Amino acid sequence: MLDPLYAFVFAGLFSPGPNVILLTSSGARFGFLRTLPHVLGVAFGVGITSGLTAFGLGALLLAQPWLTLLLKVAAAGWILWMAWKLLHAARAQVLSEADRPFRFHEAVLFQWVNPKVWAIAVAASAGFSAGLSPTGEALRMASAFSGINLFVCLFWSFAGSLLTFLLTTPRAWTLFNGTMAAALALSAAMVFL
């Protein structure tokens, strides 16, 4: 029988959020292959974050409101900064040498302040325990989140790379970047709800 954790994780991670928006944009701007380090970093970072919730880090965040607020402020700030950069990003046809997708370690680190990942990981840890030892639960959570998220990230970055064929004018790129930046900025506001 399929572990219900998998369906929960898939539904939570496949729906739009900061990672989906950034990976789709990166796929469109830089192409699928150049976005792969970003994809792998997200999958790895999500695994670490979710594994740590099984060791009680999620419970600590819930028990310490000041720590939760600090995480929310850091998350909102980082997401708004990325939205600003995305709004002013060059279209794929005119990228400069300074334009580049996230590096592996940047994508891993972003998961530490990604509010959607924390929310899903804490909910999964609380609601889908298998009664294993803390280490067993941490490995179960980490492998479920990383494995499922790898395929989710591959899907969205590939979908983004296909958008390049539709975004053929500067106006289309401006609309795309503006829409993605607005969605990302909205996700920063959602941190506080």
Side-chain angles (χ1 to χ4, degrees):
M1 183 171 170
L2 185 66
D3 188 339
L5 171 68
Y6 299 137
F8 178 79
V9 171
F10 177 78
L13 296 178
F14 190 80
S15 61
N19 282 329
V20 167
I21 295 164
L22 290 170
L23 286 165
T24 304
S25 291
S26 184
R29 290 184 63 223
F30 304 108
F32 180 72
L33 291 178
R34 286 190 64 199
T35 302
L36 284 178
H38 186 171
V39 166
L40 296 173
V42 169
F44 187 75
V46 165
I48 291 171
T49 302
S50 62
L52 288 174
T53 61
F55 279 124
L57 191 56
L60 174 66
L61 287 173
L62 293 174
Q64 299 296 324
W66 68 271
L67 195 55
T68 303
L69 179 62
L70 181 66
L71 181 64
K72 286 180 178 184
V73 169
W78 196 348
I79 291 169
L80 287 172
W81 176 73
M82 288 186 299
W84 176 259
K85 285 184 62 174
L86 188 56
L87 181 63
H88 294 79
R91 55 192 173 102
Q93 293 88 347
V94 292
L95 294 174
S96 72
E97 288 183 25
D99 292 319
R100 62 170 178 76
F102 268 40
R103 293 183 173 117
F104 176 84
H105 71 279
E106 292 168 332
V108 170
L109 291 173
F110 176 62
Q111 304 323 301
W112 284 88
V113 295
N114 185 336
K116 182 180 175 193
V117 169
W118 278 106
I120 296 166
V122 169
S125 182
F128 295 96
S129 173
L132 303 173
S133 69
T135 302
E137 285 293 341
L139 290 173
R140 177 175 164 263
M141 293 280 289
S143 63
F145 271 74
S146 282
I148 291 168
N149 204 36
L150 176 61
F151 291 104
V152 167
C153 293
L154 288 169
F155 172 85
W156 284 111
S157 58
F158 186 71
S161 70
L162 294 178
L163 286 174
T164 304
F165 297 108
L166 299 175
L167 303 171
T168 57
T169 66
R171 179 163 164 59
W173 275 101
T174 300
L175 286 172
F176 174 73
N177 282 346
T179 301
M180 298 305 271
L184 195 56
L186 182 61
S187 74
M190 303 296 277
V191 168
F192 297 100
L193 297 180

